[in-house]
């Protein structure tokens, strides 16, 4: 007799659920079932198959058959569903795309079938983040392969046939167990990007200089003691990463790498910086945690475009006054060295915004000044520079203006801090002959811009007129067709000339600490502007429409702090390209202080949310 419940209904016995182990080794059939007909049809349509992160232990057999015919049984129908070149009504074989991309990354694969040779049209193969210990020799049959990702496996060698992949542009072998790389690597002459980082390499094959198309070479986190001298033949190299090795030196004639923009060589045993004369494109150098004791004059004279220099954790005892020649420098990290004093010429680097000097036995700077940050340190150095100038004997001080040869050497006319009220035309004539590109007339008593400056309009790229008594700017500034940086901060300007809008090469404009009541209309025509500093004025209204600030599509930094702005227009939030927005110290009540303190992203998000309310 069946047991009944209280309400008279039959009581059902509890259903026992089959408990499966959380972790189990997948069988070959389970892996084969991952490649269902939907994925196959997608691969036929697009030429791409993505099996990343599927927990595969084996590659499904049908992967190697995708270019040809495939038959499989439909789970929802007892009839056999065949797809091949003769019998497909839904997917005619001649409409299929060539199978060009296969992604098997982030699985647990230990081997790859020799049938990989069937994928003869493959151009992109991603086998990263698996457990591969070897590759089949038939991988050399993939002659159309351009991108190969083998990073994060357990490889310690590749078959010789591998080096027949002479169409490779990108090769990633990082995070493996290679102790050496076969010399035939240099046969891959089409390589553009090569990553050998995080292995156990003690050397790089000689002949690497034959890879003349390389733009990025990464051999970091290995055990390399010396770089081959012919590495300087890679004339297309833009980024060289050799950090965290056992290098005692960098190759001579590094100056031959004329296109190099980034050098990462921190955490080695380098004792001396080689000559970089000729590396005019270098923007960032990282040499931290080495054994460098000298920053030579030649180094300072050869890198006009350098923006970031990190020399922290070295053995520096002195920095040359010629560091003033690194006129594009934005970040300088010389922390944790043996410096007892800093050159006062650091204060003359107009772009320097981040100076790290902690961990040095400095005698000329008090600890409280260092803790106040970059601006306070530079202010102290400027004061020191003024004292130095006042202590110069009268017979030497009469030489106010630099001679032509000094300007030619520095490519700069620097007349800052000279109490000038005018500058003779002859000085600018000498500057023209010296092909000067950087003009610094800051911290003087100029009430108007000297007319002789106009003669430099065709070659000048930077002009600093800050901290003077200027009330107007001349129209001839519109003739500066190569001007990228203009600083007229801390003057008496109430407006800017409309003609300034013609200088469309400008990337950075500093109009801070003037008497502007609005952002001048000419600025809205500077379509290449990336940095606009307008703090410390009397600006009341912000025009963020497409005819105002909204027209500056490349603007990344906007400083409107310490003005009289009564309201931030919500449409300003649509300028998502802005990475640094400063608006503190104004009259508006919204956004609240808490939002302002969260930074640019929060401010722009808040403004976008307000658009629908207006």
């Amino acid at each position: 007799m069946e047991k009944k419940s209280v309400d008279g209904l039959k009581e059902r016995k509890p259903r026992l659920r089959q408990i499966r182990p959380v972790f189990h080794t997948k069988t070959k059939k389970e892996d084969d079932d991952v490649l269902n007909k939907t994925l196959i049809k997608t691969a036929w349509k697009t030429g791409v198959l993505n099996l990343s992160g599927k927990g595969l232990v084996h590659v499904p057999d049908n992967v190697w058959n995708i270019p040809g015919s495939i038959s499989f049984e439909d789970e929802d129908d007892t009839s056999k569903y065949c797809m091949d070149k003769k019998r497909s009504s839904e997917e005619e074989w001649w409409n299929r795309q060539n199978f060009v991309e296969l992604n098997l990354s982030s699985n647990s694969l230990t081997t790859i079938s020799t049938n990989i040779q069937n994928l003869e049209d493959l151009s992109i193969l991603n086998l990263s983040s698996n457990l591969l210990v070897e590759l089949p020799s038939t991988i050399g049959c993939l002659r159309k392969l351009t991108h190969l990702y083998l990073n994060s496996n357990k490889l310690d060698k590749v078959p010789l046939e591998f080096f027949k992949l002479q169409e490779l542009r990108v090769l990633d072998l990082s995070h493996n167990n290679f102790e050496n790389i076969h010399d035939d690597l240099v046969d891959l002459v089409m390589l553009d990007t090569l990553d050998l980082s995080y292995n156990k390499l003690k050397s790089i094959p000689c002949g690497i200089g034959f890879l003349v198309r390389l733009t990025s070479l990464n051999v970091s986190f290995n055990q390399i003691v010396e770089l081959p001298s012919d590495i300087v033949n890679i004339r297309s190299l833009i980024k060289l990463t050799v950090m965290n090795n056992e290098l005692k030196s960098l190759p001579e004639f590094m100056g031959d790498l004329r296109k190099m923009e980034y050098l990462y060589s921190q955490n080695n045993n380098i004792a001396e910086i080689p000559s970089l004369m000729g590396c005019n494109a270098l923007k960032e150098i990282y040499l931290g945690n080495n054994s460098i004791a000298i920053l030579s004059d030649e180094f300072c004279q050869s890198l006009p475009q350098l923006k970031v220099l990190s020399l922290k954790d070295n053995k520096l005892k002195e920095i040359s006054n010629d560091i003033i020649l690194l006129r594009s420098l934005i970040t300088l990290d010389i922390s944790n060295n043996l410096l007892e004093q800093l050159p006062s010429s650091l204060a003359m680097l107009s772009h320097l915004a981040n100076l790290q000097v902690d961990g040095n036995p400095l005698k000329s700077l008090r600890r409280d000044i260092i803790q106040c940050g970059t601006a306070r340190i530079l202010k102290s150095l400027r004061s020191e520079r003024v004292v130095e100038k006042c202590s110069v004997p009268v017979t030497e001080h009469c030489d106010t203006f630099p001679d032509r040869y000094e300007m030619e050497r520095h490519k700069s006319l620097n007349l800052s801090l000279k109490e000038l009220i005018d500058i003779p035309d002859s000085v600018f004539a000498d500057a023209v002959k010296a092909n000067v590109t950087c003009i610094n007339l800051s911290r003087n008593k100029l009430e108007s811009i000297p007319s002789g400056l106009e003669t430099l309009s065709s070659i000048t790229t930077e002009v600093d007129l800050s901290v003077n008594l200027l009330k107007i700017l001349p129209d001839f500034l519109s003739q500066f067709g190569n001007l990228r940086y203009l600083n007229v901060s801390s003057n008496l300007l109430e407006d800017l000339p409309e003609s300034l809008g013609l200088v469309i090469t400008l990337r950075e404009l500093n109009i801070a600490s003037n008497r502007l009541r609005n952002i001048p209309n000419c600025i809205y025509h500077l379509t290449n502007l990336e940095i606009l500093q307008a703090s410390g004025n009397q600006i009341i209204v912000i025009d963020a429409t497409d005819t105002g600030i909204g027209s500056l599509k490349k603007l990344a930094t906007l400083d409107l702090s310490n003005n009289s702005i009564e309201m931030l227009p919500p449409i300003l939030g649509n300028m998502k390209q802005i990475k640094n927005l400063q608006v503190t110290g104004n009259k508006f009540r919204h956004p609240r202080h808490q939002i302002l303190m969260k930074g640019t992203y929060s401010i722009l998000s808040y403004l976008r949310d307000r658009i629908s309310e207006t």
Side-chain angles (χ1 to χ4, degrees):
M1 185 173 180
E2 292 182 348
K3 186 178 179 180
K4 294 187 177 182
S5 61
V6 177
D7 57 4
L9 298 177
K10 294 180 182 179
E11 183 178 65
R12 295 181 180 178
K13 293 182 180 180
R15 196 174 193 177
L16 296 177
R17 295 177 62 187
Q18 184 177 0
I19 299 177
R20 295 183 178 179
V22 177
F23 300 103
H24 69 283
T25 303
K26 294 183 71 173
T27 64
K28 183 72 170 64
K29 184 179 185 309
E30 287 176 320
D31 282 338
D32 285 342
D33 290 343
V34 169
L35 186 59
N36 54 42
K37 68 179 182 181
T38 301
L39 287 174
I40 292 173
K41 289 167 66 177
T42 300
W44 283 342
K45 288 181 180 179
T46 64
V48 177
L49 176 61
N50 187 352
L51 294 177
S52 176
K54 301 291 186 181
L56 299 174
V57 178
H58 317 85
V59 180
D61 286 339
N62 275 336
V63 167
W64 318 122
N65 298 323
I66 284 180
S69 60
I70 296 177
S71 299
F72 55 89
E73 201 169 294
D74 191 342
E75 295 177 358
D76 300 325
D77 194 345
T78 56
S79 64
K80 194 170 186 180
Y81 186 91
C82 293
M83 289 193 175
D84 57 31
K85 295 181 180 180
K86 295 182 179 179
R87 300 183 53 193
S88 176
S89 59
E90 196 169 349
E91 298 287 342
E92 299 294 351
W93 68 268
W94 53 81
N95 288 328
R96 298 178 192 169
Q97 298 293 321
N98 289 338
F99 187 33
V100 295
E101 181 176 346
L102 173 61
N103 189 346
L104 292 168
S105 63
S106 302
N107 285 294
S108 300
L109 304 175
T110 55
T111 58
I112 298 295
S113 169
T114 56
N115 290 331
I116 194 172
Q117 64 184 335
N118 297 345
L119 311 182
E120 57 186 16
D121 290 320
L122 212 60
S123 61
I124 301 175
L125 176 59
N126 192 341
L127 295 171
S128 62
S129 300
N130 278 286
L131 302 172
L132 297 173
V133 294
E134 62 178 357
L135 296 174
S137 59
T138 52
I139 195 171
C141 297
L142 307 181
R143 299 300 176 85
K144 296 182 181 180
L145 209 58
T146 60
H147 293 66
L148 178 55
Y149 303 94
L150 291 164
N151 49 298
S152 300
N153 280 284
K154 296 184 176 182
L155 298 169
D156 58 8
K157 62 176 185 282
V158 292
L160 287 177
E161 291 79 6
F162 180 90
F163 302 107
K164 296 179 180 179
L165 303 175
Q166 295 191 7
E167 290 299 316
L168 274 183
R169 265 66 169 180
V170 177
L171 175 59
D172 192 345
L173 292 172
S174 63
H175 293 271
N176 278 285
N177 298 321
F178 290 98
E179 294 186 4
N180 56 69
I181 296 290
H182 198 278
D183 290 347
D184 286 354
L185 175 71
V186 302
D187 290 339
L188 305 179
V189 293
M190 298 300 291
L191 276 179
D192 172 82
T193 301
L194 175 60
D195 193 342
L196 299 171
S197 61
Y198 291 92
N199 279 284
K200 301 174 183 178
L201 297 174
K202 292 181 172 58
S203 63
I204 303 174
C206 290
I208 190 101
F210 288 112
L211 303 181
V212 293
R213 290 179 173 82
L214 270 185
T215 60
S216 176
L217 174 61
N218 188 349
V219 293
S220 60
F221 291 91
N222 280 286
Q223 301 164 22
I224 300 170
V225 177
E226 184 179 10
L227 295 174
S229 58
D230 68 336
I231 198 171
V232 299
N233 294 333
I234 310 176
R235 303 297 170 83
S236 298
L237 199 63
I238 295 174
K239 183 178 180 180
L240 176 60
T241 308
V242 295
M243 61 186 181
N244 292 81
N245 278 284
E246 298 175 11
L247 295 173
K248 295 181 180 179
S249 64
L250 292 172
E252 296 182 14
F253 310 113
M254 289 281 285
D256 289 344
L257 300 175
R258 299 184 183 277
K259 294 185 178 180
M260 185 167 61
E261 297 181 11
Y262 306 95
L263 173 60
Y264 298 87
S265 190
Q266 59 268 48
N267 302 319
N268 281 287
N269 301 315
I270 297 169
E272 185 179 352
I273 306 175
S275 172
L276 295 172
M277 188 69 72
C279 295
N280 294 330
L282 259 176
K283 296 178 180 177
E284 300 182 14
I285 297 178
Y286 299 87
L287 285 165
N289 197 18
N290 280 284
S291 302
I292 298 168
I294 300 174
L295 190 62
S296 67
D297 293 346
E298 182 185 0
F299 177 90
C300 297
Q301 295 165 10
S302 59
L303 301 171
Q305 301 300 322
L306 193 65
K307 298 181 184 298
V308 178
L309 175 59
S310 176
L311 289 166
K312 64 180 181 179
D313 299 299
N314 275 281
K315 298 179 180 179
L316 287 175
K317 293 183 178 180
E318 185 179 353
I319 294 180
S320 169
N321 266 306
D322 277 356
I323 197 167
I324 192 175
L325 301 180
L326 301 179
R327 56 179 182 268
S328 299
L329 206 60
I330 296 174
T331 297
L332 174 62
D333 190 346
I334 47 177
S335 57
N336 300 320
N337 277 280
L338 304 175
L339 297 166
E340 294 185 357
Q341 63 179 11
L342 298 178
S344 59
S345 58
L346 277 174
M348 307 309 297
L349 294 173
S350 56
H351 295 278
L352 190 60
N354 183 10
L355 175 61
Q356 301 294 327
V357 297
D358 285 336
N360 284 285
L362 294 170
K363 296 179 179 179
S364 57
L365 285 176
R366 300 194 311 270
R367 181 65 186 167
D368 60 307
I369 293 177
I370 295 174
Q371 290 178 335
C372 287
T374 301
R376 184 67 182 87
I377 295 171
L378 295 180
K379 183 178 180 181
S380 178
L381 291 175
R382 279 194 291 269
S383 301
E384 181 182 327
R385 188 173 179 84
V386 171
V387 172
E388 288 174 358
K389 286 182 176 292
C390 291
S391 63
V392 176
V394 176
T395 54
E396 297 179 21
H397 187 66
C398 63
D399 187 14
T400 303
F401 303 110
D403 61 31
R404 172 185 165 187
Y405 300 101
E406 184 180 348
M407 288 189 283
E408 197 168 53
R409 176 186 175 197
H410 299 165
K411 297 301 179 185
S412 172
L413 171 58
N414 191 344
L415 295 175
S416 180
L417 281 168
K418 292 187 180 292
E419 301 291 316
L420 298 173
I421 59 174
D422 196 13
I423 301 172
D425 288 345
S426 60
V427 175
F428 295 107
D430 287 341
V432 171
K433 294 176 182 177
N435 287 317
V436 162
T437 60
C438 181
I439 309 292
N440 188 349
L441 307 180
S442 66
R443 301 183 180 277
N444 285 292
K445 296 181 179 180
L446 299 173
E447 295 184 4
S448 62
I449 297 178
S451 59
L453 183 63
E454 184 176 0
T455 60
L456 290 158
S457 60
S458 63
I459 57 176
T460 301
T461 60
E462 299 183 14
V463 174
D464 189 346
L465 297 163
S466 60
V467 196
N468 276 287
L469 303 173
L470 301 174
K471 293 183 178 179
I472 58 172
L473 297 182
D475 283 327
F476 69 67
L477 284 177
S478 63
Q479 300 172 24
F480 283 63
N482 295 307
L483 194 63
R484 295 187 176 90
Y485 171 78
L486 176 61
N487 187 348
V488 292
S489 63
S490 300
N491 278 284
L492 306 174
L493 299 172
E494 296 182 1
D495 201 359
L496 299 180
E498 284 291 332
S499 59
L500 191 64
L502 299 174
V503 191
I504 58 173
T505 54
L506 263 182
R507 294 184 179 179
E508 182 174 350
L509 175 61
N510 191 339
I511 54 174
S513 302
N514 278 285
R515 298 178 178 179
L516 301 168
R517 298 183 64 83
N518 52 57
I519 297 178
N521 289 330
C522 62
I523 292 177
Y524 304 144
H525 300 288
L526 304 176
T527 52
N528 288 305
L529 201 64
E530 298 173 5
I531 300 174
L532 174 60
Q533 297 179 350
S535 62
N537 281 283
Q538 303 166 23
I539 298 171
I540 300 173
V541 178
I542 299 299
D543 180 5
T545 65
D546 287 341
T547 57
I549 292 179
S551 63
L552 306 179
K553 304 300 183 183
K554 296 182 180 180
L555 196 64
T557 296
L558 176 60
D559 188 350
L560 296 170
S561 59
N562 300 318
N563 277 283
S564 302
I565 300 171
E566 297 177 348
M567 185 193 74
L568 284 183
I571 56 173
L572 182 63
N574 288 332
M575 298 186 68
K576 297 180 181 179
Q577 82 277 12
I578 294 180
K579 304 303 179 186
N580 183 9
L581 175 62
Q582 301 293 331
V583 290
T584 56
N586 281 284
K587 292 183 177 180
F588 57 77
R589 295 184 178 181
H590 300 285
R592 298 189 307 275
H593 179 74
Q594 293 90 331
I595 295 176
L596 297 182
M597 290 302 100
K598 290 182 179 179
T600 302
Y601 179 80
S602 296
I603 298 171
L604 294 179
S605 296
Y606 171 84
L607 292 174
R608 283 196 297 274
D609 291 342
R610 293 288 299 272
I611 292 177
S612 58
E613 300 175 13
T614 58

